């Protein structure tokens, strides 16, 4: 594990500690970290220097958000629910924004 990953996982642990012991939820994809939307979003902004750079609906009950740090390239995938909780479902590095050069009609 790289130093950068160790720092990222340490940061996720800090988020978990900040939102309390009830923030853990089990899922088929492994451990997911959840808490009040405002707390998760504030931590992503303050601690990771992340900004929300994309979002899309995942049905009537949830929104998927991508948070990225424009300087480091670190990214966080967050699912936010209508009742007010957010869950960090994935984190990584080397995020790259892509600008499609083809439309669906011209793609092979």
């Amino acid at each position: 594990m790289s130093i950068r990953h160790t720092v990222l996982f340490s940061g996720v642990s800090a988020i978990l500690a900040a939102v309390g012991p009830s923030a853990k939820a089990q899922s088929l994809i492994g451990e997911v970290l959840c808490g009040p939307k405002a707390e998760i979003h504030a931590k992503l902004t303050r601690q990771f220097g992340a900004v929300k750079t994309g979002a899309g609906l995942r049905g009537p009950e949830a929104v998927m958000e991508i948070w990225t740090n424009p300087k480091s390239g670190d990214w966080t995938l967050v699912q936010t629910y209508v009742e007010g909780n957010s869950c960090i479902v994935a984190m990584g590095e080397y995020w790259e924004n892509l600008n499609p050069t083809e439309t669906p009609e011209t793609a092979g």
Side-chain angles (χ1 to χ4, degrees):
M1 182 179 294
S2 71
I3 293 173
R4 180 180 229 161
H5 277 110
T6 303
V7 170
L8 280 175
F9 290 124
S10 297
V12 171
S13 297
I15 290 173
L16 181 60
V19 296
S22 65
K24 287 187 180 181
Q26 292 300 317
S27 142
L28 294 175
I29 62 170
E31 189 174 292
V32 177
L33 306 175
C34 300
K37 173 184 171 180
E39 289 181 27
I40 297 289
H41 288 189
K43 275 287 201 184
L44 288 168
T45 301
R46 277 193 320 267
Q47 189 167 343
F48 294 111
V51 293
K52 186 163 53 170
T53 55
L57 288 177
R58 188 171 186 260
E61 300 292 322
V63 173
M64 297 304 293
E65 305 167 341
I66 188 72
W67 289 72
T68 60
N69 180 313
K71 293 180 182 176
S72 69
D74 294 341
W75 59 267
T76 306
L77 183 62
V78 176
Q79 183 162 313
T80 297
Y81 299 93
V82 294
E83 83 276 349
N85 285 325
S86 290
C87 296
I88 295 174
V89 296
M91 296 178 88
E93 54 190 348
Y94 304 115
W95 181 262
E96 181 180 347
N97 286 323
L98 302 175
N99 293 317
T101 58
E102 296 183 1
T103 63
E105 295 80 27
T106 61

